[in-house]
Amino acid sequence: MRASHANGKDLAKEISLLKAQLEELTESMGGAGQSVVARGEEAVEETLKSARELIAKYGDTAKAIAKDTIDLKNKAADKIVEHAEARPITTLAAVVGIGFLAGWLCRRQ
């Protein structure tokens, strides 16, 4: 009986030791989880800061490029309309030619 009693005490000690190790592990994981969250928050803040700096630096340039693109599109549309009004027969012939070419290319595939 003494052998089984000694084994029971050893088992109890091992269980206590395992509990202590699990508690330590849980505490360290909780700290690591908080650390990961803190690092994630820092990364998000850095990214937002960089984005704000980029917008501040190039925001006006992007707006100017967008405005120039819109102006160019409007000028091109005006020129096409002007050309179509000045030469309606030539415009019609070009449209018909483009239509035949597109139909021929689509039919080949």
Side-chain angles (χ1 to χ4, degrees), residues 28-89:
S28 68
M29 290 299 288
Q34 291 172 355
S35 174
V36 169
V37 170
R39 285 186 289 182
E41 288 174 350
E42 288 174 8
V44 168
E45 288 298 322
E46 288 178 23
T47 303
L48 288 173
K49 181 182 175 187
S50 296
R52 287 183 191 115
E53 289 173 357
L54 185 68
I55 289 170
K57 186 174 183 180
Y58 296 109
D60 293 335
T61 304
K63 287 178 186 177
I65 290 172
K67 184 181 179 305
D68 290 345
T69 303
I70 291 170
D71 291 343
L72 184 62
K73 178 200 66 102
N74 290 338
K75 285 180 185 177
D78 291 343
K79 286 290 182 182
I80 290 172
V81 169
E82 187 179 297
H83 183 72
E85 288 175 349
R87 298 185 179 112
I89 302 292

Side-chain angles (χ1 to χ4, degrees), residues 10-11 18 31 35 57 66 70 79 82 96 105 109:
D10 290 340
L11 187 58
L18 283 173
S35 174
K57 186 174 183 180
I70 291 170
K79 286 290 182 182
E82 187 179 297
V96 169
L105 289 173
Q109 296 178 0

Side-chain angles (χ1 to χ4, degrees), residues 2-17:
R2 286 186 161 223
S4 65
H5 186 60
N7 287 340
K9 284 185 178 182
D10 290 340
L11 187 58
K13 285 180 184 179
E14 287 185 33
I15 290 174
S16 296
L17 182 62

